[in-house]
Amino acid sequence: MAHPLLSFAMRRGGSGLVSLLLVSLLVFVGTALLPGDAAQSILGQNATPETLAALRQQLGLNEPLPVRYWNWLVGLAQGDMGTSFSSGRAVADLLWPRLRASMTLALAAAVIALPLAISLGILSALKRDSFLDRAISFLSMWLVSIPAFLTGYILINIFAIRLGWFPSLSISHGSASFMDWINALVLPVTTLVFVTIAHTMRLTRTAVLSVMASDYILMAEIKGLSPRRVTLTHALPNALSPILSISMLTVAYLMVGVVVIETVFNYAGLGKLMVDAVSYRDLPLVQGCAVVFSLVFVSLNFAADFLSVLVNPRLREPKE
Amino acid sequence: MTGKINLSLILSSGTLALFVVLALFAPLAAPYSPTEVLTNPYATPSVDHWLGADTLGRDLLSRSIYGLRYTLGISLFVTVVACAIGVTLAILAAVRRGWIDVLIGRTVDAIMAIPQIIFALIVLAVAGVSLKTLVGTMIVLETTLFFRILRASAGDIAVMDFIEVARLRGETLRWYIFREILPNLAPTLIAEFGLRFAFASLFISALSFLGVGIQPPDADLGGLVRENALAISAGKVAPLFPAIAIAMIAVSTNGIVDFLIRKYSVRGELQA
Amino acid sequence: MSFLDIQGLSLKAGATEILRDVSLQLERGQVLGLIGESGAGKSTLALAAIGFLKPGLTIAGGKVSLDGIDLVAASPDELSKLRQSKVAYVAQSAAAAFNPFYRLGHQVTELRALRDGIGGSERRQLAAELFARLQLPEPDRFGLKYPHQVSGGQLQRAMIAMALLNNPELIVFDEPTTALDVTTQVEVLKVIRQVIAAEGCSAIYVSHDIAVVSQVCDRIVVVRNGVMVEANETRRIIDSPQTDYARALVASRSTSDFNRETSDTQILIEGRGLDLGYGSVRIVENVDITVGRSEIVALVGESGSGKTTVARAIAGLLVPRRGSVTLSGIRLAASVDDRNDDQRRRIQFIHQLPDVALNPRQTVRAVLARPLVKFMGLSGADLEERLRGLMAEVELPAALLDRYPGALSGGQKQRVYIARCLAAEPDILICDEVTSALDPLVEESILSLLWHLNQDKGLGMLFITHNLGVTRRFTDRVVIMERGRIVESGTTKAIFAAPGEEYTKRLMLAEPSTRAGWLDERIASGD
């Protein structure tokens, strides 16, 4: 029999791939069903039937739908995502710098949000029903209820407009000095942290509480181990699996959270690119953005599940 | 402790009730027409215009009250429809099992594998931005969320022996759903309804804020934020008011849900 | 002064009293049995004896002293030290009490390593020696396994090893064999008995089974609802219990049977050539079983024997791969969904746990009315009269009709459930372990209720159980199953007088008895 880890990775990876295929199918078929086609969009309303036909031939639009889907998938696998209607540039060329910018934002937020949220979540669980715990859960109820743009605008109003500490709009990192660039990141990153931290705290708290309620924790206490040892060596290792998984999901949320926040701060990332593409109905660009977002999201979800299995002996070690 | 919970419950339900009344009777409640230009753009709050004026000089309070109509109306409609579909599918899947369970479950999994806002953006890009598409997309997304949690709860209930007792007695599907499962699902359902309603109001606001939700000249609360966004860099607070209203809707709903969850877990209703 | 001395101990959880004014003494080298139903407070009492209160409990009064140390006055730190050095605890569910994150060897030696500062190879050696002593397989490698990788019986022995490794002066065994099958239970009991004898330490043995307690303990304390009911030397409690409760406890393990009239054995229901399974797993192979009119047939086996699966197939809850079920000579549809209402009415099934078999959102009235309406077509005054009649039949006050199940006790719930079955006026009851979750006193009353139904109404019963004591006293015929096959069957009298098969003998020998010397005989004959 295959090792449980391997068979898990195959199974879970397989279902991830199915999700991705589904996204691509949704994106592709949805686009293909629309009246008009790429040739029409590129050439505009005034194109002659001859030039249209020629371009259709050239773009392979006369092929049957499954063949076109297959060609599109093959192109996708090779990094070819078609041509943007609005700018006429290759989608892939437009995407990559934007993806880098968004990942910078998300990862910077993760570096701050994860340690903060996880330690607050653990603390809140260990000091259950204390003033601290209640304060944290009250705060997190507010944080999940406040729309990201409100947080963003409040921060801008205070720190950019009134105090003038940070710029309210982001600048692309090519044109400015390193310090300016970092400064411009502060407010969007802070907003992202606010948006995700509550969720992560709650999940961590629940995970730790469920471990603390186990019989083996009671057993460790009965054995006479110190509270410190019970927490550090008996509870936390078992909470590691859910916490790792929560962390990965948080990064996934952060990646998606950029969509609104990039609009608030006018930040040139993937989210803003996609929102603009939707407004212009630049479908190849929307397709490209959707595929990249889904790829990141599905991979992070896979990583979450895989890591949580990796640190859990019950799932990792074969039963005899 | 209990006193504090009740205070937050009273505040939450009070806020929500006030908003609902304002939305229902918007023409009476709004001091001015939402579309008429009355004063200077971005006029600061005053006795005549409590929240000041918007980007064109329209009364922001009046516009917000009409905006509430959209936000609350769409959120409520979406949540009710999605809840009805979600409950039906969840119970069907839990009772019937087999291929129908697998089919619904897999479809839901596949949709949930795509981030919600990305899913909405794809659909809106493909089908074009319209109220129908917007509501339809949100119903699909909310239904998957309802299904996920209710299928789990209904599954827990469906394996209870009392369901088997009903089967031994030869009861109909109707009996299972209305007499055996739904009464036990009720606490979960009510709490989930609240959570989903809060989510819907935040989601529609976010889409409108991004410019792919309700289209001008109409505006929901998220749309109002977008319309007035430029004022932020000028140091004005106008766009904050509708945004605060959105937050108040979500906070109040979550506050009520929180109370319900506490109450039920204390009473241990479903701990079998 | 006694080694362990508890004086007037009262414990509270919030405002609720968990233990009230309990006093007991334990001398060095003695074994004390704590017996009572679940929730009686016996585990709480045993833990308090080693200076541990579960979260949320407070001491409302009294004294506990262990080896001269006042545990009530001691600081949490001192209590931890004491538990590290003087006492050990063996939990009921070893599967839940071992940390899933660590290998067994590591956990078993953790405390010793911490206390005495011993390292890797010595730890491994210590563990291996103990594992060998407790007859665990491959003692050198056993410590490398994770808890989920070994069986329940082995895990329980590993937990005993963990207790012994600290050379404790007092060990608390908290229902250590309750989760095990009888044949596994007897093996673990032997180990416990030998260990206590060899170590010469004191022990507190907590159990709900008087037979088990009587075999390992010198003294027995009976606890009920947080109060000490009776305390005495083991033999005196067994031979002449003073209180009703203790008498019922002892009676539940006695051999006095219900006075049987000869029953009508004309075949009522018959399962023939049943092959059963779920998915690709085959559970039951070629089983034939019959129940006569007014006959009580026991279907006996350990967990995994397939006895419940057979019952489910007869009820039509599981479609057989092969074989058929007939009722009064008429072949029934395989699935209950395809049977007609009259057939459904005539066969009634009683689940093991009334807690999950009664819908918590339906009142007793709604529960009982449904079969009356559906099967009997009753309504209005007739319905009301029959409802009251049913309540009287199962000896419940009619006032309970408007209660929800949550407001009833375990025994009341089981009675409501039985009343629901009676409402259908069935010919046969299939009883799936109906008394195994009940307090002995309640078990006895439910058995006698079923007994009267059998005698008065001529109700046939298929009685699924793992309890040979109940089988012997209560049933006419026995069918014994092991791993999906019937090993032996015959009249109860004949089988118990002279079991023919090896497995049957083993089962009977493993069934704990209150007879003096039972466990010693098992130890002597065992190896």
Side-chain angles (χ1 to χ4, degrees):
Chain A
M1 206 182 88
H3 193 274
L5 260 189
L6 187 69
S7 68
F8 173 82
M10 305 256 288
R11 212 161 3 99
R12 188 60 186 75
S15 81
L17 272 181
V18 171
S19 307
L20 279 180
L21 275 180
L22 210 102
V23 176
S24 69
L25 206 64
L26 180 76
V27 169
F28 184 84
V29 176
T31 329
L33 289 179
L34 285 181
D37 60 24
Q40 185 92 57
S41 307
I42 292 171
L43 295 174
Q45 292 302 322
N46 305 325
T48 63
E50 291 77 29
T51 46
L52 261 181
L55 187 61
R56 281 199 179 117
Q57 187 68 40
Q58 192 196 331
L59 292 175
L61 293 180
N62 294 329
E63 309 272 355
L65 202 60
V67 176
R68 279 163 56 199
Y69 177 59
W70 175 250
N71 289 338
W72 183 70
L73 270 189
V74 172
L76 209 58
Q78 294 163 346
D80 172 15
M81 299 180 169
T83 312
S84 155
F85 291 166
S86 53
S87 70
R89 293 175 56 196
V91 169
D93 294 345
L94 291 170
L95 281 180
W96 297 127
R98 296 298 196 104
L99 177 63
R100 255 211 337 256
S102 287
M103 292 208 14
T104 312
L105 199 57
L107 291 182
V111 168
I112 299 168
L114 283 180
L116 191 64
I118 290 173
S119 40
L120 283 177
I122 293 176
L123 208 62
S124 173
L126 292 181
K127 309 259 174 218
R128 189 183 183 173
D129 292 332
S130 66
F131 175 75
L132 181 83
D133 178 30
R134 266 180 276 159
I136 288 176
S137 76
F138 188 71
L139 186 74
S140 69
M141 194 179 84
W142 273 86
L143 285 179
V144 292
S145 310
I146 295 178
F149 47 79
L150 178 57
T151 314
Y153 284 146
I154 291 178
L155 290 178
I156 290 177
N157 191 279
I158 298 174
F159 294 100
I161 311 287
R162 287 177 202 277
L163 299 174
W165 291 355
F166 307 105
S168 65
L169 295 179
S170 309
I171 25 179
S172 69
H173 58 283
S175 60
S177 77
F178 182 70
M179 275 319 290
D180 284 349
W181 178 63
I182 291 285
N183 249 346
L185 272 180
V186 170
L187 291 184
V189 165
T190 312
T191 312
L192 255 184
V193 169
F194 273 121
V195 171
T196 39
I197 194 171
H199 208 64
T200 313
M201 268 181 340
R202 281 191 169 190
L203 289 175
T204 308
R205 178 179 182 270
T206 313
V208 175
L209 276 184
S210 91
V211 169
M212 291 301 287
S214 319
D215 277 5
Y216 55 82
I217 296 300
L218 198 65
M219 186 70 199
E221 285 169 354
I222 294 172
K223 272 160 80 175
L225 301 178
S226 67
R228 195 185 141 82
R229 192 174 165 86
V230 171
T231 310
L232 292 182
T233 69
H234 282 268
L236 284 189
N238 283 289
L240 193 63
S241 164
I243 287 177
L244 274 175
S245 155
I246 292 165
S247 305
M248 285 296 122
L249 293 179
T250 305
V251 179
Y253 283 129
L254 286 168
M255 253 335 267
V256 178
V258 299
V259 174
V260 171
I261 282 163
E262 288 177 355
T263 302
V264 172
F265 291 93
N266 211 12
Y267 184 93
L270 194 59
K272 181 104 177 62
L273 184 68
M274 184 169 184
V275 171
D276 291 343
V278 173
S279 324
Y280 301 139
R281 296 195 74 187
D282 185 343
L283 291 170
L285 194 52
V286 173
Q287 283 179 347
C289 292
V291 167
V292 172
F293 266 119
S294 304
L295 186 67
V296 172
F297 196 72
V298 168
S299 325
L300 284 169
N301 271 293
F302 173 75
D305 289 358
F306 190 76
L307 279 177
S308 76
V309 170
L310 194 66
V311 296
N312 187 342
R314 258 182 298 191
L315 301 174
R316 185 186 63 215
E317 302 287 332
K319 228 179 148 135
E320 300 191 345
Chain B
M1 179 79 191
T2 38
K4 200 177 137 202
I5 288 175
N6 285 336
L7 181 66
S8 95
L9 181 70
I10 290 166
L11 283 178
S12 299
S13 358
T15 309
L16 220 49
L18 175 71
F19 279 10
V20 169
V21 169
L22 284 179
L24 276 178
F25 302 103
L28 297 174
Y32 304 99
S33 152
T35 49
E36 204 178 326
V37 176
L38 297 161
T39 176
N40 305 324
Y42 302 127
T44 43
S46 64
V47 184
D48 290 335
H49 304 281
W50 291 2
L51 300 185
D54 77 347
T55 171
L56 295 179
R58 294 171 292 195
D59 180 55
L60 194 56
L61 178 62
S62 305
R63 281 188 72 72
S64 297
I65 289 175
Y66 278 88
L68 258 182
R69 275 198 147 174
Y70 275 107
T71 306
L72 287 180
I74 293 177
S75 307
L76 194 65
F77 178 76
V78 164
T79 315
V80 169
V81 174
C83 176
I85 303 176
V87 171
T88 314
L89 292 181
I91 295 184
L92 192 72
V95 174
R96 283 286 155 88
R97 312 266 186 86
W99 65 269
I100 197 160
D101 188 17
V102 174
L103 182 73
I104 303 174
R106 289 283 156 79
T107 312
V108 165
D109 283 350
I111 296 177
M112 290 182 91
I114 313 170
Q116 283 139 2
I117 194 138
I118 304 298
F119 180 89
L121 288 176
I122 299 171
V123 177
L124 290 168
V126 169
V129 176
S130 72
L131 189 62
K132 265 188 210 156
T133 318
L134 196 64
V135 169
T137 313
M138 284 179 64
I139 287 176
V140 170
L141 288 174
E142 287 275 47
T143 302
T144 60
L145 294 166
F146 266 114
F147 176 83
R148 177 60 70 87
I149 185 110
L150 294 177
R151 170 64 185 84
S153 303
D156 290 345
I157 299 168
V159 296
M160 299 281 229
D161 287 345
F162 61 79
I163 298 296
E164 203 162 87
V165 171
R167 186 178 163 209
L168 284 166
R169 212 164 47 222
E171 301 289 3
T172 58
L173 187 63
R174 245 177 92 94
W175 176 278
Y176 279 111
I177 294 178
F178 290 104
R179 300 303 182 93
E180 306 287 351
I181 296 183
L182 261 186
N184 287 291
L185 208 54
T188 318
L189 190 62
I190 293 168
E192 188 61 17
F193 187 89
L195 288 179
R196 298 273 58 87
F197 175 77
F199 173 83
S201 59
L202 289 172
F203 198 71
I204 176 80
S205 304
L207 288 178
S208 292
F209 171 76
L210 293 175
V212 294
I214 307 291
Q215 295 299 303
D218 297 325
D220 66 337
L221 294 173
L224 286 176
V225 179
R226 179 185 174 82
E227 276 178 10
N228 298 297
L230 279 179
I232 280 290
S233 24
K236 308 272 186 188
V237 289
L240 293 187
F241 293 125
I244 289 171
I246 298 165
M248 282 167 77
I249 294 174
V251 169
S252 307
T253 315
N254 283 331
I256 296 172
V257 170
D258 206 50
F259 171 80
L260 288 174
I261 290 174
R262 269 168 209 264
K263 187 177 158 194
Y264 281 122
S265 71
V266 166
R267 284 209 349 230
E269 287 279 354
L270 260 178
Q271 288 170 354
Chain C
M1 193 180 192
S2 302
F3 176 59
L4 170 70
D5 191 6
I6 297 180
Q7 294 289 345
L9 182 67
S10 297
L11 294 181
K12 281 186 171 173
T16 332
E17 229 170 22
I18 303 295
L19 280 182
R20 191 165 73 240
D21 194 21
V22 173
S23 300
L24 59 85
Q25 284 78 38
L26 175 67
E27 305 302 331
R28 256 177 214 285
Q30 245 195 358
V31 183
L32 177 78
L34 283 182
I35 188 159
E37 65 194 89
S38 60
K42 51 193 195 301
S43 286
T44 308
L45 176 57
L47 282 171
I50 56 172
F52 186 85
L53 295 181
K54 286 194 183 176
L57 293 183
T58 49
I59 297 180
K63 272 180 51 186
V64 181
S65 84
L66 182 68
D67 201 13
I69 305 167
D70 182 353
L71 300 189
V72 177
S75 71
D77 228 30
E78 289 166 334
L79 287 176
S80 295
K81 288 256 159 51
L82 174 103
R83 289 203 302 275
Q84 284 187 16
S85 56
K86 280 190 187 304
V87 301
Y89 178 77
V90 176
Q92 168 172 5
S93 167
F98 271 116
N99 193 326
F101 195 81
Y102 296 107
R103 296 175 196 276
L104 285 169
H106 173 90
Q107 297 190 57
V108 165
T109 54
E110 179 190 16
L111 194 54
R112 181 73 178 274
L114 212 62
R115 200 181 68 191
D116 302 349
I118 57 171
S121 62
E122 203 182 336
R123 272 174 87 161
R124 272 194 296 280
Q125 203 186 336
L126 263 172
E129 277 168 21
L130 261 175
F131 291 150
R133 220 178 108 196
L134 295 175
Q135 295 148 25
L136 285 162
E138 296 184 88
D140 293 330
R141 292 196 55 246
F142 188 80
L144 295 176
K145 296 185 180 174
Y146 284 97
H148 71 280
Q149 293 176 313
V150 307
S151 74
Q154 290 173 358
L155 217 47
Q156 203 64 55
R157 274 183 272 170
M159 178 148 290
I160 296 171
M162 178 154 81
L164 292 181
L165 208 80
N166 306 316
N167 305 319
E169 295 169 43
L170 170 64
I171 307 181
V172 170
F173 294 95
D174 193 353
E175 304 252 16
T177 63
T178 304
L180 307 175
D181 275 325
V182 274
T183 48
T184 318
Q185 164 170 280
V186 73
E187 295 307 317
V188 175
L189 279 179
K190 284 184 200 171
V191 167
I192 290 176
R193 173 65 171 273
Q194 288 164 327
V195 156
I196 293 176
E199 300 285 312
C201 59
S202 314
I204 296 177
Y205 194 103
V206 178
S207 177
H208 68 284
D209 187 337
I210 188 124
V212 167
V213 169
S214 75
Q215 294 303 321
V216 282
C217 301
D218 305 310
R219 279 178 67 82
I220 292 179
V221 170
V222 182
V223 184
R224 194 181 194 207
N225 298 333
V227 181
M228 235 170 72
V229 176
E230 195 168 338
N232 215 328
E233 303 290 322
T234 298
R235 290 324 312 171
R236 311 233 350 222
I237 293 250
I238 300 294
D239 296 336
S240 53
Q242 300 300 305
T243 56
D244 287 344
Y245 188 64
R247 260 195 292 280
L249 280 177
V250 175
S252 70
R253 278 299 190 184
S254 76
T255 50
S256 66
D257 64 356
F258 291 84
N259 289 315
R260 285 220 59 98
E261 301 288 324
T262 356
S263 56
D264 182 352
T265 51
Q266 183 197 346
I267 290 180
L268 180 63
I269 197 162
E270 176 171 28
R272 221 166 217 302
L274 295 173
D275 269 7
L276 309 170
Y278 297 95
S280 62
V281 190
R282 186 171 184 176
I283 295 175
V284 169
E285 205 178 329
N286 197 24
V287 160
D288 294 321
I289 192 160
T290 62
V291 180
R293 213 168 277 286
S294 81
E295 187 184 32
I296 304 183
V297 176
L299 189 52
V300 179
E302 296 184 282
S303 60
S305 63
K307 56 189 192 300
T308 295
T309 312
V310 170
R312 293 174 63 80
I314 289 175
L317 290 168
L318 176 70
V319 175
R321 295 176 177 183
R322 248 169 35 104
S324 62
V325 179
T326 55
L327 178 65
S328 303
I330 295 164
R331 183 165 175 162
L332 294 175
S335 163
V336 67
D337 304 332
D338 304 325
R339 294 179 186 172
N340 65 35
D341 263 1
D342 190 55
Q343 291 166 340
R344 290 189 190 121
R345 177 189 67 74
R346 291 174 65 193
I347 305 172
Q348 291 289 317
F349 190 101
I350 309 186
H351 289 81
Q352 176 173 8
L353 300 171
D355 277 320
V356 282
L358 294 173
N359 189 331
R361 294 304 182 115
Q362 290 177 359
T363 59
V364 174
R365 182 186 300 278
V367 166
L368 297 185
R370 183 60 189 162
L372 292 176
V373 173
K374 187 167 165 49
F375 293 134
M376 304 293 158
L378 294 185
S379 64
D382 292 345
L383 177 64
E384 189 58 30
E385 194 191 324
R386 185 74 186 102
L387 281 172
R388 285 166 187 279
L390 277 173
M391 292 297 272
E393 265 182 79
V394 295
E395 295 154 25
L396 287 176
L400 295 187
L401 276 172
D402 293 308
R403 298 266 182 91
Y404 283 92
L408 304 179
S409 72
Q412 286 174 329
K413 278 184 239 183
Q414 196 60 286
R415 279 168 193 270
V416 168
Y417 196 174
I418 292 172
R420 164 158 70 188
C421 294
L422 294 180
E425 296 179 15
D427 294 338
I428 177 164
L429 282 182
I430 300 175
C431 307
D432 186 10
E433 300 267 14
V434 282
T435 61
S436 58
L438 299 175
D439 171 36
L441 211 59
V442 183
E443 172 177 34
E444 208 55 26
S445 72
I446 294 286
L447 282 179
S448 89
L449 171 65
L450 289 173
W451 175 253
H452 285 297
L453 292 173
N454 169 265
Q455 294 291 296
D456 302 347
K457 297 181 183 268
L459 208 53
M461 289 182 204
L462 180 59
F463 201 81
I464 288 85
T465 183
H466 67 273
N467 186 328
L468 285 174
V470 171
T471 304
R472 179 206 295 256
R473 297 162 54 212
F474 186 69
T475 66
D476 301 312
R477 216 146 48 76
V478 193
V479 176
I480 293 173
M481 287 187 70
E482 185 199 11
R483 278 186 243 133
R485 291 165 185 271
I486 292 179
V487 207
E488 190 170 4
S489 67
T491 64
T492 308
K493 275 208 175 73
I495 297 255
F496 276 87
E501 295 294 321
E502 203 46 49
Y503 179 71
T504 316
K505 283 181 201 157
R506 210 143 57 75
L507 264 188
M508 286 181 183
L509 289 175
E511 185 73 12
S513 154
T514 51
R515 186 164 49 82
W518 170 80
L519 189 57
D520 295 316
E521 289 164 22
R522 299 281 74 70
I523 293 172
S525 68
D527 309 278

